[in-house]
Amino acid sequence: MNAGASPSFGWLGIVRLGLVQTSLGAIVILMTSTLNRVMVVELGLAAAIPGLLVGWHYAVQMSRPRWGYGADAGGRRAPWILGGMAVLAFGAISAAFAASLIPANFWAGFGLSVLAYALIGAGVGAAGTNLLALLAIRTEPSRKAAAAAIVWIMMIMGFVLTAGIGGGFLKPFSFDRLILVTSVVSAIALVVTFLALRGLEPASAHQAAPAPSAHDGQAFRAALRETWADPQARRFTIFVFVSMLAYSAQDLILEPFAGLVHGYDAGSSTQLAGVQNMGTLVGMILTAVAGTVIGKSRAGFMRTWTVGGCIASAAALLALGLGTQAMGTDWPLVPNVIALGVANGAFAVAAIGSMMTLASAGPKQREGTRMGVWGAAQAVAFGLGGFIGAAAVDVARALMEAPAPAFALVFAVEGLIFLVAAALALRVGETSADTLRLPVLPSSEFLTARSGEAT
């Protein structure tokens, strides 16, 4: 299949893929947020149990390169996206049912939960990897930054809509309601995905996937070696891991920091997280507009914004810790958190835009494999980042008399990791920036990021 000959997506095509991201986000938020609360509050389980299950679903996403390679070899991406969404939906319904079993039989419920979260991880990996691969191949270079922002923002819309509307239907709570709401959300997500994908791939792409052969595994391993042997792909993989480690390490400690150091109550600290997300959206939109109107999503422009976003994130994290140390509760926490969100958003969209450019500029039909490798690095970083950040605060607080210096130390380390990521980003594309500005080459697919929890 000559993917390069396929017509480029217009804005409507990009939004249609964004609707798939919305659907994916709608299901995922039920698993990582709602079900997490149910296990801790309604079931009275240790927080480590849902934490392990969420970590397990990230671990399963190490399979992302395989899903990307499968679509590379088969020549079509829509069936992998729809199939991944179906697996995700089945996994989500199974997870809700498993939770209902725990009061009567913990081990039966927990065992089914482990299987369900494995399906969730596999579904997110297959759908997310190939969605972004399709987007990378069929989006004009000048629109890649805007496309990255659109699909990310629409995924967040899935979070918000499900949390608001689905949360309303869960009142009063019962496990029957949980299973029903999860089933309805999953069914709607599948219908939206099917309609959004319909007709997006050209007729020339409608070729049957080759039957699996005894050499398929060997070919996949060869594709992985080829990807890792490419200096640009290898550098970008390391950058994705380091940057996403810093990005996710702050997630679980910002609200405790607001409560323990600045005296925020539970409601105020939750609102603070909302303020940060608003800042993130602003950063994404600003980067998308600048990247599309000024930089035309060129590799050098997006790399500059990626580096700048990392440096700004580091500065905001250092300000959180050092400013509070110097001024205590008089430090302007809300503006600082907004600045952190804007920097995070700018970095995230620029990095995804760069990812799309690198994936579609490869010399062979390896977009899906590349995206899978980068998506796996992102998933591992997200799985480790939150745990490492929280554990680091626990260790620092045990060694220090007051919580403020403990948080300041951890924020400083996270800022340093962002600076390391900025240095790594400078090396990506340094020897082939002109090549990265070529039109999309014939290929297959692209990677996923966070989808995020993305990605």
Side-chain angles (χ1 to χ4, degrees), residues 28-436:
V28 168
I29 195 64
L30 286 174
M31 300 299 101
T32 59
S33 180
T34 304
L35 200 55
N36 177 79
R37 179 241 150 80
V38 167
M39 289 187 178
V40 175
V41 179
E42 275 73 20
L43 293 176
L45 301 177
I49 292 177
L52 285 172
L53 290 172
V54 172
W56 168 235
H57 114 282
Y58 279 125
V60 171
Q61 291 184 53
M62 288 290 289
S63 62
R64 280 178 180 268
R66 189 64 182 84
W67 308 129
Y69 171 79
D72 283 345
R76 294 195 64 199
R77 284 152 289 282
W80 289 84
I81 298 169
L82 185 60
M85 287 294 294
V87 171
L88 170 60
F90 181 70
I93 297 170
S94 299
F97 178 71
S100 73
L101 296 179
I102 289 178
N105 190 325
F106 171 80
W107 290 110
F110 180 73
L112 181 57
S113 294
V114 171
L115 175 59
Y117 274 81
L119 293 174
I120 292 167
V124 170
T129 298
N130 289 297
L131 184 152
L132 291 176
L134 180 59
L135 192 65
I137 293 169
R138 298 280 304 282
T139 301
E140 292 180 0
S142 63
R143 292 181 174 179
K144 289 187 186 293
I150 287 170
V151 297
W152 193 300
I153 290 170
M154 292 185 74
M155 182 178 68
I156 295 174
M157 286 175 54
F159 295 164
V160 173
L161 289 173
T162 305
I165 300 174
F169 281 108
L170 283 173
K171 299 177 181 179
F173 176 81
S174 71
F175 284 106
D176 288 341
R177 281 178 177 267
L178 176 64
I179 295 171
L180 178 61
V181 169
T182 303
S183 300
V184 171
V185 169
S186 298
I188 293 174
L190 281 176
V191 171
V192 171
T193 297
F194 174 78
L195 294 176
L197 291 175
R198 191 174 182 183
L200 268 186
E201 285 189 298
S204 60
H206 292 185
Q207 60 188 58
S213 68
H215 301 293
D216 191 56
Q218 182 178 355
F220 169 60
R221 289 190 291 273
L224 277 182
R225 288 194 296 270
E226 177 184 303
T227 298
W228 190 251
D230 181 347
Q232 296 297 347
R234 185 171 62 250
R235 289 170 183 169
F236 197 73
T237 302
I238 298 170
F239 161 75
V240 167
F241 177 81
V242 173
S243 61
M244 289 302 172
L245 190 67
Y247 183 84
S248 60
Q250 61 187 288
D251 282 352
L252 298 183
I253 66 173
L254 184 59
E255 289 190 50
F257 168 72
L260 292 171
V261 178
H262 286 266
Y264 278 40
D265 57 26
S268 297
S269 63
T270 300
Q271 290 175 339
L272 185 68
V275 166
Q276 183 186 18
N277 288 330
M278 287 177 55
T280 300
L281 289 178
V282 170
M284 289 178 175
I285 293 170
L286 288 175
T287 304
V289 172
T292 303
V293 177
I294 302 173
K296 305 300 182 184
S297 295
R298 288 189 294 266
F301 185 88
M302 299 313 295
R303 184 169 61 249
T304 299
W305 277 72
T306 302
V307 173
C310 286
I311 293 174
S313 295
L317 285 168
L318 287 171
L320 271 180
L322 298 180
T324 299
Q325 280 281 86
M327 298 177 59
T329 56
D330 290 333
W331 180 253
L333 181 61
V334 172
N336 196 157
V337 170
I338 292 175
L340 177 61
V342 172
N344 284 174
F347 140 72
V349 165
I352 296 172
S354 297
M355 185 185 299
M356 292 171 65
T357 301
L358 284 168
S360 59
K364 297 182 179 180
Q365 294 184 337
R366 289 286 182 260
E367 294 87 349
T369 305
R370 287 177 171 227
M371 294 308 246
V373 169
W374 297 331
Q378 183 188 34
V380 172
F382 266 99
L384 289 175
F387 172 77
I388 291 175
V393 166
D394 288 340
V395 172
R397 289 186 63 195
L399 297 175
M400 298 179 178
E401 295 181 356
F407 279 100
L409 175 62
V410 175
F411 284 143
V413 172
E414 291 174 1
L416 179 61
I417 297 174
F418 261 123
L419 292 178
V420 172
L424 291 170
L426 283 172
R427 298 197 61 202
V428 176
E430 64 182 2
T431 59
S432 56
D434 293 335
T435 302
L436 294 179

